[in-house]
Amino acid sequence: MDQIRICGGKKLNGKVKISGAKNAALPILTASLLAHWECSFSNIPNVRDVTTVLHLLSDLGAKVDLLENNSVKLDSSHVCGYEAAYDLVRTMRASILVLGPLLARFGRARVSLPGGCAIGLRPVNLHLNGLRKLGAKIELHNGYIDARADKLKGCNILLETPTVTGTENLMMAACLAQGETIIKNTACEPEILDLACVLNKMGAKIQGAGTDCIRIQGVDGLSGAKYSIMPDRVEAGTFMVAAAVTGSQIQIDDCCPEHLTTVMDKLREAGVEFEEKNDKITVSAEKDLRAIDIKTAPYPSFPTDMQAQFMSLMSLAQGTSMVIETVFENRFMHVLELIRMGADIKIEGHTAMIKGVSRLSGAPVMATDLRASASLVLAGLAAEGETLISRIYHLDRGYESIEQKLASLGAEIKRLK
Ligand code: UD1
């Protein structure tokens, strides 16, 4: 298994280009199942979760044509399968995103029930309840969700919690339902708006995506579309923290500053400075870092997907910081590894108290999930000496060439095969 070795303490400088958003690419790729014509998507990030979803679409019978320059052509006109098997779903929970499109287009879907997850329970009850309201008959047996419907019918759905993939699944299913569907208390993440833009280009009639109430007028069928995926706001945020923990100045290219407001506000509070120009942000972190508090919550509040990375920054800030994690039950797995690098962190329930230390020291550490891996890379960049991170397959799920991008900024980082 690959590892990443970092010799910490190097300043970063230069420019880094942000890739397309993994969390927008995944639902957009599955949306191609709704179309009778070819779809063509660009700015697709080259990460393992994308490979997994393309594999899944190809298994279902879609024609997948991976092109150069991070583009893909997908033709679902001959799809005949309706099953997402356990082997794929267990490696990527977002495989559940085929459930809505398969059911809406073919009236049948059999998708392995995602199991437990390192960061929390992550049930899919809200996806299933919403589809039932749209008229689907859903049974669970042998670890699979078996969903059937002759024709989905528009309805009113109130989500108990604003779930991101749940909103996406239901929005996709409702595109081909008869009549109007109104979904309330929807998640407002920008990736949902990106998905709605693609669906509308394919002929869907969706209003309100990106707010907490989405209206969908069902249509008979969807055609193909060409679309470029939005930039990855979590990757951009991760590079901002990389500049912050190394006391550096870097330029982040091809990002969307509007999606990063909360993250940048918190970094400003910590002493980081920004200069924005269109899709470029210059990050300067030449002052000492100050302690800050964060509470994760659905967009536009502070993203849970940036919590672990901020914990590395807080470990080196002057004073005591606090993190309250409200989205997932068990998202502090990185803490024990950070403590092994010299961080002073105490956890009580969903709250972590981080007393800033003057330095972290390199150590062998183990990645436990995607964003936890990123926090260890960031801690390694700032630490004195060598950090060896194992189980980096977690990192490869969501960061495109992270070690190459960091090395081009001057970090001493290497992948060991
Ligand atoms: C998505 C993101 C993930 C991010 C998360 C929260 C993708 C592919 N993944 O995950 O990176 O960390 O949003 O921003 O976009 N819940 C239920 N029942 C459900 C569904 C969710 O109780 O049926 C709960 C979850 O347990 C969690 C909360 O709702 O506590 C939010 O989860 P959700 O928004 O669904 O996360 P994902 O869509 O899986």
Side-chain angles (χ1 to χ4, degrees):
M1 264 189 286
D2 292 4
Q3 293 175 310
I4 279 186
R5 188 176 63 203
I6 303 173
C7 290
K10 301 276 177 306
K11 288 247 184 212
L12 308 181
N13 66 73
K15 298 177 183 178
V16 62
K17 184 184 166 325
I18 296 306
S19 299
K22 167 185 86 76
N23 285 356
L26 298 178
I28 287 173
L29 291 168
T30 65
S32 68
L33 287 170
L34 291 163
H36 287 91
W37 276 290
E38 187 180 87
C39 292
S40 167
F41 302 125
S42 53
N43 206 28
I44 298 281
N46 185 8
V47 296
R48 201 164 53 95
D49 275 6
V50 163
T51 313
T52 306
V53 85
L54 291 176
H55 188 160
L56 175 53
L57 293 175
S58 162
D59 263 11
L60 289 166
K63 190 164 167 274
V64 177
D65 226 347
L66 255 180
L67 309 170
E68 289 187 357
N69 295 335
N70 294 69
S71 298
V72 64
K73 279 190 178 166
L74 291 163
D75 183 351
S76 295
S77 50
H78 300 297
V79 165
C80 48
Y82 54 81
E83 178 167 318
Y86 175 64
D87 272 353
L88 282 175
V89 179
R90 80 186 162 85
T91 60
M92 188 188 68
R93 304 179 57 82
S95 308
I96 189 80
L97 285 165
V98 298
L99 180 61
L102 285 176
L103 185 64
R105 171 129 178 248
F106 305 106
R108 179 88 204 264
R110 194 167 178 268
V111 177
S112 171
L113 198 56
C117 173
I119 62 174
L121 286 174
R122 304 186 80 175
V124 290
N125 57 319
L126 303 177
H127 302 231
L128 304 188
N129 291 349
L131 291 173
R132 283 191 179 108
K133 278 210 103 178
L134 281 160
K137 291 213 164 21
I138 297 181
E139 287 173 20
L140 303 179
H141 36 71
N142 306 111
Y144 276 77
I145 302 162
D146 206 332
R148 293 164 196 254
D150 288 338
K151 179 80 186 160
L152 296 174
K153 293 207 171 54
C155 64
N156 289 343
I157 300 170
L158 172 64
L159 293 174
E160 231 171 81
T161 306
T163 153
V164 177
T165 46
T167 301
E168 292 164 345
N169 237 336
L170 297 174
M171 187 167 81
M172 289 191 278
C175 284
L176 298 185
Q178 222 166 46
E180 184 181 65
T181 301
I182 301 177
I183 317 176
K184 289 191 176 152
N185 197 28
T186 45
C188 305
E189 269 67 1
E191 291 76 11
I192 295 171
L193 180 56
D194 217 38
L195 170 64
C197 288
V198 178
L199 290 166
N200 283 342
K201 269 195 135 185
M202 289 159 70
K205 292 190 173 155
I206 304 172
Q207 286 179 324
T211 73
D212 63 359
C213 178
I214 303 180
R215 269 171 196 270
I216 306 125
Q217 296 288 343
V219 295
D220 288 336
L222 296 180
S223 57
K226 259 187 158 180
Y227 196 78
S228 176
I229 310 290
M230 63 176 266
D232 197 307
R233 61 195 167 100
V234 182
E235 188 196 16
T238 303
F239 277 99
M240 287 176 180
V241 179
V245 293
T246 53
S248 308
Q249 178 172 327
I250 63 169
Q251 182 177 307
I252 299 181
D253 287 351
D254 293 359
C255 63
C256 182
E258 191 192 323
H259 297 159
L260 287 151
T261 310
T262 319
V263 166
M264 285 161 71
D265 282 351
K266 281 292 163 192
L267 286 170
R268 276 192 196 96
E269 234 182 282
V272 179
E273 289 171 6
F274 297 98
E275 214 175 288
E276 290 171 40
K277 201 169 176 203
N278 305 321
D279 63 350
K280 299 184 194 328
I281 303 177
T282 303
V283 191
S284 311
E286 276 138 352
K287 297 184 195 142
D288 286 342
L289 295 169
R290 294 187 291 267
I292 46 169
D293 296 335
I294 61 168
K295 182 175 175 182
T296 67
Y299 191 85
S301 293
F302 191 89
T304 176
D305 282 353
M306 282 301 301
Q307 181 257 103
Q309 299 89 316
F310 263 61
M311 197 90 95
S312 301
L313 176 152
M314 292 163 168
S315 298
L316 289 162
Q318 278 173 13
T320 300
S321 302
M322 180 168 68
V323 172
I324 305 177
E325 171 60 55
T326 75
V327 181
F328 292 114
E329 304 87 357
N330 191 29
R331 209 169 194 180
F332 285 145
M333 306 270 282
H334 42 285
V335 167
L336 284 174
E337 300 301 297
L338 290 175
I339 290 174
R340 297 190 56 252
M341 296 178 72
D344 182 347
I345 307 175
K346 295 205 166 48
I347 301 176
E348 214 178 297
H350 294 281
T351 304
M353 300 299 293
I354 305 107
K355 218 187 255 176
V357 295
S358 57
R359 61 181 198 100
L360 294 174
S361 55
V365 287
M366 202 159 68
T368 48
D369 68 68
L370 172 54
R371 307 304 171 189
S373 328
S375 78
L376 299 178
V377 170
L378 295 170
L381 292 175
E384 284 174 10
E386 184 179 293
T387 297
L388 194 61
I389 309 173
S390 51
R391 299 206 179 161
I392 56 158
Y393 49 84
H394 291 293
L395 193 66
D396 295 335
R397 283 189 41 215
Y399 287 93
E400 178 171 336
S401 317
I402 190 168
E403 73 279 12
Q404 278 137 321
K405 290 188 182 186
L406 284 168
S408 78
L409 290 171
E412 209 176 315
I413 178 169
K414 204 171 173 198
R415 178 180 292 257
L416 309 177
K417 292 276 176 192

